[in-house]
Amino acid sequence: MDLAPFLKAFSEDDLQTMALAGYGAPMGLGQRPALMVIDATWAFCGDRREPLREALVRWPNACGPAAWDAVDHIALLLSAFRAHERPVIYTHGAWRADRWDLGSWRWKHVPSRPGAQPMVDRDPDEVVTPLSPMPTDLMIGKQKPSAFFGTPLQSHLTLLGCDSLIVTGGTTSGCVRATVVDAFSANYRVAVIADACFDRNQTSHAVSIVDMSAKYADILSTEEMLAAMPRFAAS
């Protein structure tokens, strides 16, 4: 994927430094990938497409139109992975009813503190309807940014025989990046689908895409990923 649109966030000095450092070599896709859909929930998408600042009034983690643009691309990838009988894995927040186990989130996010949660008409940790999971998909409940931290994800990947992760969802600078770093650390090949990821801050999105491209993952478009699907063996 052409990274030029994302590189606009960097100074000329930064670009020269990156060129000299030698990072960013193509990693290549594995043979048995799983599709990861990170936190594509009402909490991060909001309940409809609307301007970000309006969405944040009711959904303090919302990412606005960027999320819904990504949802359209994720839906295409879901269809392709299911058609090729490749695993689909979702993540979502998983908390006690009293939210005691939010833990350190309350230190950094004021709306997560007791009594601060806005009233909404649906479970914020439910996957948005356009991306509804199928019975054969895996659901990973998590409490911290990485899909690996404190979850059975890696054991599931072992059971599935997966050698690579195709990562989508949000936020690019938060849970997506944390999951990508942990996947890289566990020696999985990783591809991030840039137009199927979203963030409420577009500068953070761009910088994270470039940084992951440099060190942890290949960056592909949805179109490129769909074109690569026929090579993958069924489960």
Side-chain angles (χ1 to χ4, degrees):
M1 182 175 183
D2 182 10
L3 294 181
F6 306 110
L7 292 171
K8 294 176 183 179
F10 293 82
S11 69
E12 186 59 36
D13 185 62
D14 287 337
L15 295 176
Q16 292 179 12
T17 298
M18 284 188 275
L20 289 170
Y23 287 98
M27 176 181 287
L29 298 172
Q31 294 300 311
R32 298 180 63 81
L35 179 65
M36 295 287 308
V37 182
I38 306 292
D39 296 356
T41 60
W42 302 116
F44 289 97
C45 298
D47 56 1
R48 58 181 176 267
R49 182 185 290 270
E50 61 183 337
L52 175 57
R53 291 180 184 176
E54 294 179 19
L56 287 170
V57 173
R58 289 173 297 112
W59 302 95
N61 283 310
C63 296
W68 290 99
D69 289 342
V71 164
D72 292 340
H73 289 94
I74 296 170
L76 295 173
L77 293 164
L78 286 170
S79 295
F81 269 72
R82 289 168 178 153
H84 286 82
E85 299 181 12
R86 295 305 310 155
V88 172
I89 305 174
Y90 292 82
T91 72
H92 64 101
W95 321 101
R96 277 180 22 167
D98 62 4
R99 299 276 172 157
W100 170 85
D101 47 355
L102 278 167
S104 50
W105 286 119
R106 290 177 172 171
W107 306 340
K108 295 297 292 182
H109 188 232
V110 172
S112 293
R113 293 173 183 170
Q117 290 85 2
M119 297 299 294
V120 292
D121 62 355
R122 63 195 70 195
D123 179 358
D125 296 314
E126 180 182 70
V127 173
V128 296
T129 301
L131 305 179
S132 292
M134 300 289 286
T136 53
D137 297 333
L138 294 177
M139 297 293 294
I140 300 290
K142 67 184 182 69
Q143 296 186 340
K144 302 301 180 188
S146 173
F148 287 88
F149 185 86
T151 79
L153 174 59
Q154 191 158 357
S155 66
H156 291 342
L157 293 172
T158 298
L159 182 63
L160 291 164
C162 293
D163 62 2
S164 50
L165 293 183
I166 311 304
V167 184
T168 68
T171 64
T172 317
S173 61
C175 298
V176 166
R177 181 187 168 111
T179 298
V180 166
V181 171
D182 278 357
F184 174 89
S185 300
N187 291 320
Y188 291 100
R189 293 181 182 270
V190 187
V192 174
I193 312 304
D195 54 6
C197 292
F198 57 88
D199 204 297
R200 70 187 62 85
N201 185 313
Q202 296 314 298
T203 300
S204 296
H205 175 75
V207 170
S208 296
I209 289 291
V210 172
D211 204 37
M212 288 188 288
S213 174
K215 292 179 279 190
Y216 309 120
D218 289 346
I219 307 299
L220 302 178
S221 67
T222 298
E223 182 179 10
E224 290 169 333
M225 189 65 230
L226 293 174
M229 288 303 299
R231 76 159 88 165
F232 300 125
S235 300

